[in-house]
Amino acid sequence: MTRLARLVMPGHVHLVVQRGRGDLPVFRDAVDARVYLDALAHGARECRVGVHGFGVLPGEARLLLTPTDDAGLGALMQSVGRRYVRAHNLRHGLRGTPWEGRFRSTVVESPAHFVDALRFVEGLEAGLSDRPVALASSAAHHVGEQRQALITEHEAFWSLGNTPFDREAAYRRAAEVPIAPDALARLSDAALKGWALGSAAFADALARATGRRSRPLPRGRPRKSTMPASGDRER
């Protein structure tokens, strides 16, 4: 089966997951996470991609990004991958790539799904009190605990309040409640399979703009027509 081209739409938010290979951690400690984020900051400036959120977990990196052109997203992830692999292998005495293959991504309808996508990226899908052990994330930035220069705030985050304090408080309130299981499954499924994360109208608009199918085909066989054959129709 031919693999679909990556769904990319400049000016829209993209949820990206970059996974390690097998069961070995691709990020072993906070130093590895810092090296990755330094590579991300360099690549984002070079490729003109906005970084709205990040989460670095032992087995994967999750990112929320907006590219300004068609090539920006792919160029950024290639740049980050190469820079990180060189530093990672030198530091740990390894060879080859720690990545499972190409990165996974989807286009996110904003503002409808922005906050849930940001929470997923930052590892807050189960709520602030039950977050997984992330080596680094932008959660502290968005709840007002620590400013992070890497972050470019998206207009959907700005719409949460009139002041930084209002926005941080609104995001904290949202993050205190776990993401509903069906919404979480949809987030993960869209990111890993490359389907648009949004309404049917949003997905259809993306398909028309990109010439690429943006949601899965309906399950099952096509429904048989109930119309009579041409020879059987009344004359």
Side-chain angles (χ1 to χ4, degrees):
M1 180 182 295
T2 303
R3 184 168 61 185
L4 286 173
R6 189 180 302 284
L7 187 62
V8 177
M9 191 66 182
H12 286 261
V13 177
H14 292 63
L15 171 58
V16 174
V17 177
Q18 193 173 25
R19 286 182 155 182
R21 184 178 62 187
D23 296 328
L24 296 176
V26 68
F27 303 106
R28 302 189 180 200
D29 52 28
V31 175
D32 278 352
R34 175 48 51 194
V35 170
Y36 182 86
L37 293 176
D38 286 346
L40 178 63
H42 180 277
R45 290 191 300 268
E46 190 176 67
C47 301
R48 298 187 301 128
V49 175
V51 180
H52 311 307
F54 63 83
V56 182
L57 287 76
E60 66 185 29
R62 302 175 183 176
L63 307 170
L64 207 58
L65 310 170
T66 295
T68 57
D69 56 46
D70 290 326
L73 184 66
L76 168 63
M77 299 312 296
Q78 289 176 10
S79 173
V80 171
R82 286 194 301 266
R83 286 175 176 271
Y84 180 72
V85 168
R86 285 197 296 267
H88 175 269
N89 287 356
L90 181 62
R91 181 170 182 243
H92 297 294
L94 300 173
R95 298 179 65 182
T97 179
W99 306 119
E100 70 165 4
R102 71 182 205 150
F103 67 92
R104 318 289 187 90
S105 66
T106 186
V107 184
V108 178
E109 184 175 14
S110 179
H113 296 278
F114 180 85
V115 170
D116 277 354
L118 181 59
R119 292 177 57 195
F120 174 78
V121 161
E122 294 178 340
L124 302 180
E125 59 265 42
L128 277 170
S129 61
D130 194 25
R131 70 182 89 175
V133 180
L135 298 171
S137 87
S138 54
H141 174 95
H142 286 118
V143 299
E145 296 174 354
Q146 180 185 36
R147 306 309 297 171
Q148 295 169 336
L150 175 59
I151 298 300
T152 299
E153 298 294 13
H154 190 270
E155 61 185 17
F157 188 82
W158 279 80
S159 70
L160 294 178
N162 293 324
T163 68
F165 178 81
D166 291 340
R167 293 189 285 271
E168 291 155 5
Y171 185 67
R172 181 183 288 274
R173 287 194 298 272
E176 286 174 349
V177 180
I179 299 176
D182 58 339
L184 181 58
R186 190 179 179 195
L187 268 165
S188 179
D189 194 57
L192 296 181
K193 296 181 179 179
W195 304 123
L197 180 61
S199 64
F202 175 73
D204 290 344
L206 281 178
R208 289 192 298 270
T210 62
R212 187 264 206 196
R213 186 156 50 90
S214 60
R215 51 179 172 159
L217 295 172
R219 293 184 177 181
R221 296 181 178 179
R223 184 175 298 176
K224 292 183 179 179
S225 173
T226 57
M227 294 290 292
S230 58
D232 296 332
R233 295 176 185 169
E234 294 182 2
R235 298 183 184 274

